Amino acid sequence: MKKFEEYLVSKGLSGNTVRSYLSDLALFFRFTGSVNIKRNHVFSYRRYLQDQGKNASTINRALSAIRKYGEFNGQYDLVLSDDFITIQKTYSSPVVVTEKDVAKFLRSLKKWDSYRNYCIAVLIVNTGLRISEVLNLKLFDFANLSSGEVIIMGKGNKQRKVVINNGARDVLEYYLKNERKKYKYAAVSDYVFVSNKAGKLNPATIQRVFKEHDPRIYPHMLRHFFATNVYEKGLLNLRQLQEQLGHSKLDTVQKYTHPNRNTMIENLNSKEASFV
C-alpha cells in the first residue's frame, strides 16, 4: 500500500484523491480477503456496493481506485471503461444562497470577525479559488498585484493565472498593509494568511468561522456562487470560466454553473422568447 501511495503521488493526484483511493482499496481488500485480485472480484464488489445502496459516484470512485491499483500492478484489464456505471449528466442542485445572502454574510464577517477572514471570503467569492489555493498563497505571489492577475499552483500541481478584480485587490492590499502584521507569525511566515498559532491557516478553521456567520455558507459554496454569478451575468464564457477555476474539462466546469430557476422563468417569459 505504501508503494501504491507513492505511485499515486507520482501521477500528480491530489492528497485528497490519494487518501480516498487508499481508503477505497482497503475496503475492497477487506471484501475480497486477498490482495491478489481478478476481474471477477471486481464484478462481485460492484454488485455488493449496489446491494448496499451506494450511489453511482461512490461506486465509480471505488472502481477508479481499483483500476489505478491494476495499472500499478500491470493488470491493465482489471477494470475497463464499460465497468463503470453511466451517470445521467445533469446539473447539481441549484445554489441555495443568493446575492443578498452572500452580501449579508460578507457584512457580518467584516463587522464581527477579523479582517483576515473577511479578506479570505472576498477572495473566494471574487475569484472562485479553492480554499486550499487561498491558504497556500504566499507573499511573493503578489509581487505584481497591480497587474490584476496572480499565478496559482492548483490541484495536481497545475499552474494557472487567475484574475483578481479591483474590489478583491483593494481588500487584499488593505489586509497586507494594515492587518497581516498583527499576527504572531507574520514576520517569519511566507504565507499571506497566518494565525497566532501557526505559520499557515488550517482550512477547518475557516470552515468553522464561516459556519458561525451562516451555516449554509462554506468556502466551496462561495466558489460555486462565483461561477454561477459570472456565467449568468455573461461576464465569463465557459472556456474562460474553465481557465479561472482551473478545471481541465468543460463538463466539470458546468457542475459549477447552477441554473437559477428564477432567472430561467424570467428569461423564458420575456417577449423575445415568446412565439404565439
Side-chain angles (χ1 to χ4, degrees):
M1 290 290 278
K2 183 64 179 175
K3 289 182 179 179
F4 179 53
E5 180 180 0
E6 292 171 354
Y7 171 79
L8 294 176
V9 172
S10 73
K11 293 296 182 181
L13 299 182
S14 70
N16 286 337
T17 301
V18 171
R19 286 188 289 273
S20 296
Y21 278 9
L22 292 174
S23 176
D24 286 337
L25 197 63
L27 292 174
F28 176 62
F29 286 155
R30 197 172 302 156
F31 172 81
T32 62
S34 172
V35 294
N36 299 313
I37 51 180
K38 299 178 181 178
R39 272 185 61 75
N40 63 302
H41 293 143
V42 176
F43 295 142
S44 298
Y45 189 56
R46 187 180 73 171
R47 188 162 53 248
Y48 164 75
L49 292 176
Q50 288 174 303
D51 291 343
Q52 291 291 308
K54 302 298 182 184
N55 63 39
S57 296
T58 299
I59 296 172
N60 285 343
R61 192 189 70 185
L63 293 174
S64 293
I66 298 169
R67 179 156 71 174
K68 279 294 180 187
Y69 185 74
E71 293 174 0
F72 166 70
N73 258 350
Q75 295 175 275
Y76 294 99
D77 62 344
L78 189 61
V79 178
L80 304 178
S81 297
D82 290 344
D83 296 332
F84 289 87
I85 299 174
T86 301
I87 304 173
Q88 177 66 38
K89 289 186 177 180
T90 183
Y91 288 104
S92 305
S93 300
V95 174
V96 295
V97 292
T98 65
E99 286 189 51
K100 288 184 179 179
D101 294 327
V102 173
K104 182 180 178 181
F105 169 73
L106 291 177
R107 286 196 301 270
S108 178
L109 272 176
K110 188 175 184 180
K111 183 176 181 179
W112 302 109
D113 219 301
S114 69
Y115 198 86
R116 178 201 66 189
N117 296 340
Y118 168 68
C119 184
I120 290 171
V122 167
L123 262 183
I124 298 174
V125 84
N126 283 280
T127 64
L129 287 172
R130 301 176 178 92
I131 183 62
S132 59
E133 293 171 341
V134 171
L135 299 188
N136 279 329
L137 288 170
K138 294 190 175 180
L139 293 173
F140 61 77
D141 292 326
F142 295 106
N144 190 27
L145 187 56
S146 59
S147 68
E149 291 183 322
V150 62
I151 295 177
I152 295 294
M153 186 64 73
K155 208 171 181 180
N157 292 324
K158 295 177 182 176
Q159 195 179 75
R160 74 185 190 279
K161 278 187 177 182
V162 168
V163 176
I164 297 183
N165 63 25
N166 292 334
R169 187 175 64 186
D170 290 346
V171 170
L172 182 59
E173 286 179 338
Y174 182 87
Y175 164 76
L176 290 173
K177 183 178 180 180
N178 302 289
E179 300 293 329
R180 186 182 181 277
K181 59 187 177 184
K182 298 177 181 179
Y183 292 90
K184 179 179 177 181
Y185 287 87
V188 296
S189 175
D190 291 331
Y191 289 100
V192 171
F193 298 105
V194 292
S195 73
N196 288 321
K197 297 180 179 179
K200 178 184 174 183
L201 270 172
N202 190 310
T205 300
I206 303 304
Q207 297 273 11
R208 185 173 61 253
V209 168
F210 281 21
K211 189 175 182 179
E212 288 172 356
H213 290 269
D214 191 327
R216 301 168 301 166
I217 294 179
Y218 47 91
H220 209 68
M221 168 70 76
L222 293 183
R223 177 169 156 88
H224 279 252
F225 175 83
F226 163 80
T228 299
N229 187 50
V230 299
Y231 183 68
E232 288 201 341
K233 289 180 177 178
L235 304 177
L236 295 179
N237 60 37
L238 275 179
R239 181 63 188 86
Q240 292 167 330
L241 189 56
Q242 177 188 13
E243 187 170 332
Q244 180 79 3
L245 295 177
H247 281 296
S248 57
K249 297 180 179 179
L250 275 175
D251 58 352
T252 305
V253 178
Q254 287 178 314
K255 295 178 182 178
Y256 288 81
T257 54
H258 308 289
N260 184 303
R261 298 300 302 180
N262 290 333
T263 302
M264 290 172 65
I265 292 171
E266 182 180 344
N267 289 345
L268 290 177
N269 277 290
S270 66
K271 184 177 180 181
E272 292 83 358
S274 180
F275 293 90
V276 291

